[in-house]
Amino acid sequence: MRTCLNCGTELRGEYCSSCGQRDKNIHIPVKELVSEFIDALPSFDQRLVRSMIPFLFKPGMLSEAYLSGKRKQYVSPFKFYFFISVLFFFVNSVYVSESKSNLRNNFSLRDSVKTIMKGDSSNNSIRSSNSEVSFTIADTAKMQKLFGKKFIEGFTSGQNNPQMFFEKIKEHLPKIIFLLLPVFALLLKLVYLRSNILYIKHLIFSFYFHSFVFFILLVDTIGEMVLPKDFHLYGNIMMIVIPIYLYYGLINVYKQTRWKTVMKFLLLSLSHIVIFLITLSLFVVATVILFFT
């Protein structure tokens, strides 16, 4: 007679009828464990290959399939997000490490000038050398009161080397996207409040959508690593694909009229951008204080 190792109930199958634990022997040779893992890979590979075309070219189709119960032939939203994000974080860490090593050859934080700006001042900004992006302090005195003296010192150090500053901010962007994933699902819940859709359904859509965002960032990062700097503009063009993908995803999953979808798309996008900018600003402040002081 076999009994459940967890609760002691007599077993009549592979799973315990009382606690649900699977009757599986974990005392197996390492060779068998590796073999089991390798045997499971082809199944994942097949589903991944089968999922890529709808994932890239049919926004919302994977969410629809998962919600309708067709979960065997495609990769689940959680596994898909995990796979894409891990791949991105690995490539991004390699790229960031290379960027840091190049920057350290030309810059040392110890040699940076740390001066404190006094009084009100305007247009004290850190501007990226290869784009129009900048972070500006319009009122130094107020910022010093709000975030302290160290923030002003760090901001001054960032002005001395804007390239390193923006590399550090770029390093944090994936973390911000990761943290805001459940927030995005909550915004979907609020935008489609009248539809009485469960939060988990919005979360599934959010997982697939953010997987696509990480995929675009992954392609952009690989492009920056292998292409000359003259071609880096293509990354900005690729970012335009993200809102288009989101719009058609909303159309295909929530099945409302184009006019309603446009209005909800704009409301969702504006709300998410505001939350994203607030979160990014907090990361910028933390980066200035922790890294440049």
Side-chain angles (χ1 to χ4, degrees), residues 105-121:
N105 294 331
N106 302 316
F107 181 75
S108 173
L109 282 177
R110 293 179 183 177
D111 299 331
S112 64
V113 181
K114 294 184 179 179
T115 58
I116 302 173
M117 296 175 284
K118 295 180 180 180
D120 295 343
S121 58

Side-chain angles (χ1 to χ4, degrees), residues 57-234:
F57 303 107
K58 297 179 181 179
M61 179 184 166
L62 291 180
S63 298
E64 276 194 300
Y66 189 85
L67 292 172
S68 63
K70 298 176 181 178
R71 300 168 188 171
K72 186 71 176 176
Q73 54 183 330
Y74 301 115
V75 179
S76 71
F78 317 105
K79 287 183 180 178
F80 206 103
Y81 177 79
F82 178 77
F83 174 75
I84 297 289
S85 60
V86 167
L87 189 60
F88 168 76
F89 279 115
F90 172 74
V91 173
N92 188 62
S93 64
V94 173
Y95 175 67
V96 169
S97 298
E98 288 180 359
S99 300
K100 282 182 178 178
S101 62
N102 293 332
L103 286 170
R104 285 194 187 103
N105 294 331
N106 302 316
F107 181 75
S108 173
L109 282 177
R110 293 179 183 177
D111 299 331
S112 64
V113 181
K114 294 184 179 179
T115 58
I116 302 173
M117 296 175 284
K118 295 180 180 180
D120 295 343
S121 58
S122 59
N123 298 326
N124 287 305
S125 62
I126 302 176
R127 183 175 294 275
S128 175
S129 57
N130 55 3
S131 71
E132 294 299 319
V133 180
S134 65
F135 291 95
T136 304
I137 291 182
D139 192 333
T140 307
K142 286 184 179 179
M143 293 298 287
Q144 183 167 327
K145 272 187 178 181
L146 191 60
F147 297 112
K149 180 179 174 181
K150 280 192 173 183
F151 173 77
I152 303 301
E153 290 180 352
F155 195 86
T156 308
S157 296
Q159 285 180 310
N160 295 329
N161 190 54
Q163 188 181 356
M164 179 172 279
F165 178 83
F166 279 95
E167 286 295 337
K168 199 66 183 174
I169 297 301
K170 188 176 180 180
E171 185 181 346
H172 288 312
L173 282 177
K175 299 172 187 175
I176 298 174
I177 296 172
F178 177 79
L179 290 173
L180 292 182
L181 189 151
V183 177
F184 183 81
L186 181 60
L187 290 175
L188 279 170
K189 175 69 176 176
L190 295 174
V191 168
Y192 288 95
L193 193 60
R194 284 185 166 185
S195 302
N196 294 321
I197 300 174
L198 296 175
Y199 175 77
I200 185 64
K201 294 185 178 181
H202 299 299
L203 192 61
I204 289 167
F205 178 85
S206 185
F207 268 109
Y208 279 124
F209 171 66
H210 282 79
S211 298
F212 182 78
V213 173
F214 274 119
F215 179 81
I216 294 296
L217 292 175
L218 173 64
V219 174
D220 180 38
T221 303
I222 293 173
E224 289 188 5
M225 292 174 69
V226 300
L227 293 177
K229 287 187 177 180
D230 297 338
F231 291 89
H232 285 185
L233 181 63
Y234 92 99

